[in-house]
Amino acid sequence: MARYIVRRLLTMLLTMILVSMLVFAIVEIAPGNVARNILGAYATPEQEASMSRQLGLTRPVSIRYISWLFGSDWQAKGEIGLPMAQIISEQGLVKNAREWWAVAPNGEHLQWTVEEGKLYKLVLLADGNTEKILDESSWKAGEDGDEYFWGVDTANRAAKWVKGSKDIEYRLDYSGWVESTGAPVEYIPLSKGLIRGDAGVSLRYQAPVSEVIGRRILNSFILAALAIVVSIPTAVILGLIAGLNEGKLIDRIISIGGLITAGSPDFATGILLIMVFAIWLKVLPGAAVFTSADALWKNPNLLVLPVLTASLVEIGYVLRITRSSVVEVMNSPYVRTAILKGLTYRQVVTRHVLRNAMMAPITVIMLHVNWFIGGLVVVESVFGYPGLGSFILNAALFKDVYSIEAGAMVLILLAVGTQLIADLIYSLVNPRIRYS
Amino acid sequence: MATENISMTKSTSRFVLTLRGIWKGLQELAELIFASPTAVIGLVVVLAWVFVAIFAPLITTYSPLEQDYKNINQKPTAAHVLGTDNLGRDVWTRVAYGARTILSLGPISVFVAFLIGLALGLPAGYYQGWVDELIMRILDALMAFPTILLYMIIISAVGASPFNVVIAIAIGGAPGIARLVRALTMDIRTREYVAAAKLRGDSDIMIMLREILPNSRGPLIVDFLLRIGYAAFYIGTLGFLGLGLPPPTPDWGGMVQEGHGRMSANIWPVLSATMAIVTLVIGLNMFADGLREESMRYQ
Amino acid sequence: MDDSSPILSVKNLAVTYKTRKRDIDAVRDVSFDIYRGENLGLVGESGCGKSTAAYSIVNFLGPNGRVKSGEILFKGEQLRNRSEADLRKLRGADISMVYQEPMSALNPSMQIRDQLAESLIAHRGFNQKDAFAESLEALRKVYMPDAEGVMQRYPHQLSGGQQQRVLIAMAMLNNPSLLIMDEPTTALDVTVEAAVLDLIAELQKKYNTATLYISHNLGVVARVSDKVAVMYAGEIVELAPTREIFHNPMHPYTMGLMRCLPDVDAPKGTRTLHPIEGRVPSPANLPAGCIFAPRCQHAEPECLAGHPHLKEISPGHQVRCFRAWDWTAVKENWKTEDLVPLKESCPDRNGNTEENVLNVKNAKVYYPVPFKTVGGLFGMEKRSYVRASDDVSFSVKRGRTLGIVGESGCGKSTIAKAIVGLEPLFGGQIDFLNVDVSKPLNKRGIDTIRDLQMVFQDPNGVLNPSYSVGDQIAFSLRRFGTVPPDQIRAEVERLLQAVKLDESYYNRLPRQLSGGEKQRVGIARAISTNPAMVVCDEPVSALDVSVQAAVLNLLLEIQNTRNTTMILISHDLSSVRFFADEVAVMYLGHIMEIGSCESIFQPPNHPYTTALLAAVPRADPDAPHSNIRLSGHVPSAVKPPSGCKFNTRCPFKIGAICEQEEPSKRDMGAGHLIYCHLTPEDLKNKII
């Protein structure tokens, strides 16, 4: 059993590694340049090339993948020779912005900048301001005779300056394009990497993705949990009733109902529910747009239609699986044994049918988790519910790459993790797995 | 000359054989369908939409893109049986042309998905071992994606177009098909007629195509039909999410997306498109499902 | 209630099933009585309504079945039209059942003790503790090894024989008056079957339970039953005391069943089998008149016109045949008729060439076991193997048959597949026609492939359902270029004729064929290339007995006319005796004994062979039965026991040497080799 769990965990790990490669490949290497997505259609080729360098897109794909997943600060540390630190700054335009600094042996936090060919060192002061000090002595001699310097620049990148370089850096600021000469020849955008909780800065929200995503995950979790609590027991009971009355009228009604709710696309179900309850009957809100962070607690009504929509599809699906499983078990030889043992119908059902009939649905529900999560994305977007799904959708529509990547990885991790848990529950229910 | 003759007769007899096989298969299929009321109802609904799609220009009086600013957001009238949308376009016309979109893209994407699924599933199930292991790990990773998420990131990376929608849906569907094909192959490859084919020295490809594929057709046909339902489901959903066909293409999901913010003012475009997708998807599901149940009963 | 009235009395029972088109009478006019302590055997081929008749007693016929007419009297009380609540009190208490597939008859997710105890709790109101104690006692009564341990286990942790013992214990829990056993040993290996039959016979004697015993196997019924009823297409055609029916069968169908059985005591070439032509009619499509008339050799016009009733012709002996009285002359030699050598003259088996067509030397077929730990994937776990066939050596002479026998899992099929190239060889060498063929199919020459063909076991898997019969045979002809393309059709028809099928079969699809017909097409396909050797892997085990005979006759005829060398893989010693010249007995991947058929089938032989022979149920109630039984079950082929592989179950084990040393071969002369530590003297007079 322990061996089984370890094995499953390792497969899950392998799957997640492959998934991360796929996500990275689709989002960052697929046709359609990330830099161009950010810059829009009117950037000049020079501006685009500069932007690509700044984003580290010119670095080899394998290095970019590793940086994305495991961070790049340790790579930069190797070049700069000083440890890196990420601190939260109260200043600047971006709220709670995380800034990278190099930490000198004496404990000073340092950044560098090159202005008019001269290298300056920026020392962080206690009040959050910086002191700018000329640091021309730090240039190092390169192998080809040039003088160069590796340091942290003011935009969270490790950068390599070459003395006397005439390169131009184009930067898109709130005011428009900013040009500066003497730009670094090489950049390493600094991040801790996805695994260490740093998913980069959202291009859309101009805030760290990890910060935006946290609340969204919680909202989605509430929605999903409620939907599961509503749908699974309902579905199992309905499926059981239908299966035990195979071929009778009640079975027909339940089965056809299940076919309809399972077959309708989530958005269509949601729209129809809004029409009936919000527009026609006017008893429930048709949207779940949060006006404040605690809107859910103030007005739980917001949740009714989203939960109902997410549940209906799931109910239809699970009840059909449960029903066919019950029918199959009812016709099995061991149920025949139980009946011919002289047990009452009730005993046969509770002792012999239930447990065995639940095994098939568990595996199928397990495989269905992805479907359910996909459904949540749609439900959130129907109702404008601020969850993880609508976050990813908006990121996709806005081409906010870091948000897409992080959101996708979190969503898949949740899906795969849920499957793992379901798998473990299944192995507990099924003695064939438990004792092998 | 003589050898040419031989190969001629060979190929013609092979051709006749396949034709006969297809005819027999169709007959069996018809028998199955008519044995199941569910399948018949589903088929009627689906055929009705196919009819609408084919004859869209004949059963509508407007063009799907024609805007009429004098008649926006109309309720159903004799001139506009399902009313007009916020740009004054006739809703019924857009629904009818939308049927064309969904009924052409759906089967095409499932077909592409099947080609990929067969190409991966047959060797995985037949050879097993490391070939299987490699293919399955990749498929596992793809299947770890919630389908909608996969579509979202693919479409956001490559942009929305009919071709890209087909590609996205094919990539999303292929792993499931490959798994099914693999399972069927693993079962059939142990049958003794496969051993018999090996004992006449047939090549692996020959065995996969002549012995295994024809005998997995039953479940594959049912799966194909079910997947057309899913494809319609997802094409609608992508349209609704704003990741489907770019406007102003008539697309049911897109119609819901455009109108859903204005529902309290004008419910008709949204209601019509919603009902259209619901009936089509449920019709497809009922057809495939009835067929599956009936074919299971035969076993 | 005294012993003179029957426990169960079934009178004119008719059972009907609703189908989409119309109602079908699956059982008609069935009557029998079972008395206290009596065992009635209900025999017949598959689909003749035996199980339906049995399940109608407890009214368990599914949603579509119902008892249409007749009476079912249990201890004098009518069971028909009783409420479910009434029946429930009887089921599992006074009437209980044992089923065919023990594995699926037990709830997979419930411990054995709970499955046993609930019957006591339901019927006798025991509390759980007493119920467990009583259940344990019941397991001991059926000689369950490690009964305490078994109580806590789940069904999948038990062997087939143990599962069946659990079901028998469950059936006996409430001391039933009537026990219904539905093919209880059919799914079991022959040695396990023998032990279960011993148990059934013993319990029968001890508890005097009335038993209805359903089986398709005449030998099994001869072993356990007091009375036998033979069913055919839904009707009882003959009912008589066991000895009477075996020695003096009156119905042509009963006689046919007995004459088509190969006899384990009759050597090859001494007799031919008499298959019953045609097939059992489906209950939806019964012939008018006597239902057996279309297949009866002795049918007269009157048989086709009227439907005979069951009539008593001597006390306790009832027959459903118009002609049972007037054909004593025909009957006189019903068994000895044609007990002459085969119609075609048999090639001289002694003077034949000594050329070896096939030489197998130390062949090993191992399958790697999937790694259990993660470390295994990185080479940290020692790879272990299922040793399906280990160190197997034998040779086959031209025109002869080598029979390979053994129970399931002994590796006989594996070695067959390795010979034809369907399984890779792990070690050793196989020479065929002096060519080294120790390699898989795709590395063998086309001539070798053509010369070495195979006949398969499962009639339903043998033909590709997508192609017509003719096409499938033609595939081979085309592939090997056996005949010019314009003669393919003629050649296929000739081959169909050779397997006794007419040319109308050319265009038929496999699903339109019966099991026996499919098997014939499989044989036609195998011989289409005119191979030097055909390996037959259990060619008849999935067929009904009357059809088995026809297929065995066909194989023998093919061998005699074409001088084909054959290997017959079988678990059935009788068909091996019928068809093989030499026999290899396999156990756990090893050959235990090999030699001519005559030398194997009588002492001195290997203890395992002795046990196998002792276990064969003989269709003769007076056959002496040996009490040599095997205990335990077959060890795992991943970790086979050290020393002699058979030592864990051998009834003649002499001591430590059996566990420590692998026995070397003992040459008993004339190519008869025995792998055993016993001396030739002991091998001859085995005493436990």
PDB file of all heavy atoms in Angstrom, chain A residues 375-394:
ATOM      1  N   GLY A 375     -15.367  22.860 -16.414  1.00  0.00           N
ATOM      2  CA  GLY A 375     -16.709  23.428 -16.274  1.00  0.00           C
ATOM      3  C   GLY A 375     -16.694  24.646 -15.369  1.00  0.00           C
ATOM      4  O   GLY A 375     -17.356  25.649 -15.640  1.00  0.00           O
ATOM      5  N   LEU A 376     -15.891  24.599 -14.310  1.00  0.00           N
ATOM      6  CA  LEU A 376     -15.813  25.736 -13.391  1.00  0.00           C
ATOM      7  C   LEU A 376     -15.336  26.999 -14.105  1.00  0.00           C
ATOM      8  O   LEU A 376     -15.828  28.089 -13.860  1.00  0.00           O
ATOM      9  CB  LEU A 376     -14.856  25.425 -12.234  1.00  0.00           C
ATOM     10  CG  LEU A 376     -15.382  24.523 -11.134  1.00  0.00           C
ATOM     11  CD1 LEU A 376     -14.319  24.365 -10.066  1.00  0.00           C
ATOM     12  CD2 LEU A 376     -16.645  25.097 -10.526  1.00  0.00           C
ATOM     13  N   VAL A 377     -14.355  26.799 -15.024  1.00  0.00           N
ATOM     14  CA  VAL A 377     -13.847  27.948 -15.767  1.00  0.00           C
ATOM     15  C   VAL A 377     -15.008  28.636 -16.485  1.00  0.00           C
ATOM     16  O   VAL A 377     -15.158  29.863 -16.447  1.00  0.00           O
ATOM     17  CB  VAL A 377     -12.796  27.486 -16.803  1.00  0.00           C
ATOM     18  CG1 VAL A 377     -12.368  28.657 -17.670  1.00  0.00           C
ATOM     19  CG2 VAL A 377     -11.613  26.861 -16.101  1.00  0.00           C
ATOM     20  N   VAL A 378     -15.852  27.791 -17.112  1.00  0.00           N
ATOM     21  CA  VAL A 378     -16.964  28.338 -17.877  1.00  0.00           C
ATOM     22  C   VAL A 378     -17.981  28.990 -16.943  1.00  0.00           C
ATOM     23  O   VAL A 378     -18.444  30.109 -17.194  1.00  0.00           O
ATOM     24  CB  VAL A 378     -17.620  27.225 -18.715  1.00  0.00           C
ATOM     25  CG1 VAL A 378     -18.798  27.790 -19.491  1.00  0.00           C
ATOM     26  CG2 VAL A 378     -16.606  26.604 -19.639  1.00  0.00           C
ATOM     27  N   VAL A 379     -18.317  28.296 -15.863  1.00  0.00           N
ATOM     28  CA  VAL A 379     -19.310  28.830 -14.930  1.00  0.00           C
ATOM     29  C   VAL A 379     -18.852  30.180 -14.380  1.00  0.00           C
ATOM     30  O   VAL A 379     -19.619  31.150 -14.332  1.00  0.00           O
ATOM     31  CB  VAL A 379     -19.551  27.831 -13.778  1.00  0.00           C
ATOM     32  CG1 VAL A 379     -20.417  28.462 -12.704  1.00  0.00           C
ATOM     33  CG2 VAL A 379     -20.190  26.571 -14.302  1.00  0.00           C
ATOM     34  N   GLU A 380     -17.572  30.265 -14.016  1.00  0.00           N
ATOM     35  CA  GLU A 380     -17.057  31.530 -13.487  1.00  0.00           C
ATOM     36  C   GLU A 380     -17.191  32.635 -14.515  1.00  0.00           C
ATOM     37  O   GLU A 380     -17.498  33.780 -14.180  1.00  0.00           O
ATOM     38  CB  GLU A 380     -15.596  31.357 -13.079  1.00  0.00           C
ATOM     39  CG  GLU A 380     -15.447  30.539 -11.813  1.00  0.00           C
ATOM     40  CD  GLU A 380     -13.988  30.298 -11.452  1.00  0.00           C
ATOM     41  OE1 GLU A 380     -13.115  30.894 -12.100  1.00  0.00           O
ATOM     42  OE2 GLU A 380     -13.739  29.505 -10.529  1.00  0.00           O
ATOM     43  N   SER A 381     -16.982  32.264 -15.785  1.00  0.00           N
ATOM     44  CA  SER A 381     -17.041  33.333 -16.778  1.00  0.00           C
ATOM     45  C   SER A 381     -18.496  33.695 -17.095  1.00  0.00           C
ATOM     46  O   SER A 381     -18.777  34.849 -17.412  1.00  0.00           O
ATOM     47  CB  SER A 381     -16.219  32.946 -18.002  1.00  0.00           C
ATOM     48  OG  SER A 381     -17.012  32.745 -19.091  1.00  0.00           O
ATOM     49  N   VAL A 382     -19.427  32.743 -16.981  1.00  0.00           N
ATOM     50  CA  VAL A 382     -20.839  33.074 -17.188  1.00  0.00           C
ATOM     51  C   VAL A 382     -21.289  34.099 -16.153  1.00  0.00           C
ATOM     52  O   VAL A 382     -21.971  35.073 -16.465  1.00  0.00           O
ATOM     53  CB  VAL A 382     -21.729  31.812 -17.084  1.00  0.00           C
ATOM     54  CG1 VAL A 382     -23.202  32.208 -17.107  1.00  0.00           C
ATOM     55  CG2 VAL A 382     -21.441  30.856 -18.214  1.00  0.00           C
ATOM     56  N   PHE A 383     -20.900  33.879 -14.909  1.00  0.00           N
ATOM     57  CA  PHE A 383     -21.419  34.702 -13.820  1.00  0.00           C
ATOM     58  C   PHE A 383     -20.465  35.812 -13.423  1.00  0.00           C
ATOM     59  O   PHE A 383     -20.712  36.530 -12.467  1.00  0.00           O
ATOM     60  CB  PHE A 383     -21.736  33.830 -12.599  1.00  0.00           C
ATOM     61  CG  PHE A 383     -22.880  32.893 -12.852  1.00  0.00           C
ATOM     62  CD1 PHE A 383     -22.654  31.594 -13.265  1.00  0.00           C
ATOM     63  CD2 PHE A 383     -24.192  33.329 -12.697  1.00  0.00           C
ATOM     64  CE1 PHE A 383     -23.700  30.742 -13.508  1.00  0.00           C
ATOM     65  CE2 PHE A 383     -25.246  32.470 -12.950  1.00  0.00           C
ATOM     66  CZ  PHE A 383     -25.007  31.178 -13.355  1.00  0.00           C
ATOM     67  N   GLY A 384     -19.343  35.915 -14.110  1.00  0.00           N
ATOM     68  CA  GLY A 384     -18.361  36.909 -13.736  1.00  0.00           C
ATOM     69  C   GLY A 384     -17.800  36.662 -12.345  1.00  0.00           C
ATOM     70  O   GLY A 384     -17.381  37.571 -11.643  1.00  0.00           O
ATOM     71  N   TYR A 385     -17.775  35.415 -11.944  1.00  0.00           N
ATOM     72  CA  TYR A 385     -17.314  35.045 -10.606  1.00  0.00           C
ATOM     73  C   TYR A 385     -15.787  35.140 -10.559  1.00  0.00           C
ATOM     74  O   TYR A 385     -15.107  34.573 -11.419  1.00  0.00           O
ATOM     75  CB  TYR A 385     -17.785  33.616 -10.325  1.00  0.00           C
ATOM     76  CG  TYR A 385     -17.486  33.082  -8.944  1.00  0.00           C
ATOM     77  CD1 TYR A 385     -18.416  33.221  -7.928  1.00  0.00           C
ATOM     78  CD2 TYR A 385     -16.297  32.421  -8.678  1.00  0.00           C
ATOM     79  CE1 TYR A 385     -18.162  32.713  -6.676  1.00  0.00           C
ATOM     80  CE2 TYR A 385     -16.033  31.915  -7.421  1.00  0.00           C
ATOM     81  CZ  TYR A 385     -16.974  32.062  -6.417  1.00  0.00           C
ATOM     82  OH  TYR A 385     -16.723  31.568  -5.183  1.00  0.00           O
ATOM     83  N   PRO A 386     -15.228  35.864  -9.593  1.00  0.00           N
ATOM     84  CA  PRO A 386     -13.777  36.080  -9.608  1.00  0.00           C
ATOM     85  C   PRO A 386     -12.988  34.888  -9.090  1.00  0.00           C
ATOM     86  O   PRO A 386     -12.409  34.939  -8.008  1.00  0.00           O
ATOM     87  CB  PRO A 386     -13.601  37.297  -8.702  1.00  0.00           C
ATOM     88  CG  PRO A 386     -14.758  37.235  -7.764  1.00  0.00           C
ATOM     89  CD  PRO A 386     -15.888  36.577  -8.479  1.00  0.00           C
ATOM     90  N   GLY A 387     -12.966  33.849  -9.846  1.00  0.00           N
ATOM     91  CA  GLY A 387     -12.228  32.653  -9.419  1.00  0.00           C
ATOM     92  C   GLY A 387     -10.998  32.442 -10.283  1.00  0.00           C
ATOM     93  O   GLY A 387     -10.672  33.270 -11.141  1.00  0.00           O
ATOM     94  N   LEU A 388     -10.335  31.326 -10.083  1.00  0.00           N
ATOM     95  CA  LEU A 388      -9.121  30.998 -10.821  1.00  0.00           C
ATOM     96  C   LEU A 388      -9.417  30.841 -12.311  1.00  0.00           C
ATOM     97  O   LEU A 388      -8.635  31.247 -13.169  1.00  0.00           O
ATOM     98  CB  LEU A 388      -8.536  29.707 -10.241  1.00  0.00           C
ATOM     99  CG  LEU A 388      -7.217  29.219 -10.806  1.00  0.00           C
ATOM    100  CD1 LEU A 388      -6.162  30.287 -10.643  1.00  0.00           C
ATOM    101  CD2 LEU A 388      -6.785  27.943 -10.109  1.00  0.00           C
ATOM    102  N   GLY A 389     -10.565  30.232 -12.605  1.00  0.00           N
ATOM    103  CA  GLY A 389     -10.925  29.975 -14.003  1.00  0.00           C
ATOM    104  C   GLY A 389     -11.069  31.256 -14.788  1.00  0.00           C
ATOM    105  O   GLY A 389     -10.478  31.412 -15.867  1.00  0.00           O
ATOM    106  N   SER A 390     -11.830  32.198 -14.238  1.00  0.00           N
ATOM    107  CA  SER A 390     -12.011  33.430 -15.005  1.00  0.00           C
ATOM    108  C   SER A 390     -10.700  34.212 -15.055  1.00  0.00           C
ATOM    109  O   SER A 390     -10.436  34.921 -16.020  1.00  0.00           O
ATOM    110  CB  SER A 390     -13.134  34.272 -14.404  1.00  0.00           C
ATOM    111  OG  SER A 390     -12.873  34.536 -13.052  1.00  0.00           O
ATOM    112  N   PHE A 391      -9.868  34.040 -14.038  1.00  0.00           N
ATOM    113  CA  PHE A 391      -8.543  34.653 -14.051  1.00  0.00           C
ATOM    114  C   PHE A 391      -7.732  34.151 -15.246  1.00  0.00           C
ATOM    115  O   PHE A 391      -7.146  34.926 -15.999  1.00  0.00           O
ATOM    116  CB  PHE A 391      -7.812  34.329 -12.745  1.00  0.00           C
ATOM    117  CG  PHE A 391      -6.378  34.739 -12.705  1.00  0.00           C
ATOM    118  CD1 PHE A 391      -6.038  36.063 -12.492  1.00  0.00           C
ATOM    119  CD2 PHE A 391      -5.363  33.807 -12.892  1.00  0.00           C
ATOM    120  CE1 PHE A 391      -4.709  36.447 -12.451  1.00  0.00           C
ATOM    121  CE2 PHE A 391      -4.037  34.185 -12.856  1.00  0.00           C
ATOM    122  CZ  PHE A 391      -3.712  35.505 -12.635  1.00  0.00           C
ATOM    123  N   ILE A 392      -7.731  32.822 -15.417  1.00  0.00           N
ATOM    124  CA  ILE A 392      -6.952  32.264 -16.529  1.00  0.00           C
ATOM    125  C   ILE A 392      -7.561  32.687 -17.862  1.00  0.00           C
ATOM    126  O   ILE A 392      -6.855  33.027 -18.811  1.00  0.00           O
ATOM    127  CB  ILE A 392      -6.891  30.732 -16.441  1.00  0.00           C
ATOM    128  CG1 ILE A 392      -6.215  30.309 -15.136  1.00  0.00           C
ATOM    129  CG2 ILE A 392      -6.135  30.156 -17.610  1.00  0.00           C
ATOM    130  CD1 ILE A 392      -6.293  28.825 -14.892  1.00  0.00           C
ATOM    131  N   LEU A 393      -8.881  32.684 -17.936  1.00  0.00           N
ATOM    132  CA  LEU A 393      -9.534  33.067 -19.184  1.00  0.00           C
ATOM    133  C   LEU A 393      -9.144  34.497 -19.558  1.00  0.00           C
ATOM    134  O   LEU A 393      -8.756  34.761 -20.693  1.00  0.00           O
ATOM    135  CB  LEU A 393     -11.054  32.946 -19.040  1.00  0.00           C
ATOM    136  CG  LEU A 393     -11.836  33.452 -20.259  1.00  0.00           C
ATOM    137  CD1 LEU A 393     -11.537  32.597 -21.479  1.00  0.00           C
ATOM    138  CD2 LEU A 393     -13.316  33.487 -19.979  1.00  0.00           C
ATOM    139  N   ASN A 394      -9.232  35.399 -18.585  1.00  0.00           N
ATOM    140  CA  ASN A 394      -8.872  36.777 -18.883  1.00  0.00           C
ATOM    141  C   ASN A 394      -7.410  36.888 -19.261  1.00  0.00           C
ATOM    142  O   ASN A 394      -7.048  37.649 -20.154  1.00  0.00           O
ATOM    143  CB  ASN A 394      -9.190  37.681 -17.681  1.00  0.00           C
ATOM    144  CG  ASN A 394     -10.686  37.856 -17.536  1.00  0.00           C
ATOM    145  OD1 ASN A 394     -11.419  37.843 -18.522  1.00  0.00           O
ATOM    146  ND2 ASN A 394     -11.157  37.980 -16.307  1.00  0.00           N
TER     147      ASN A 394
END
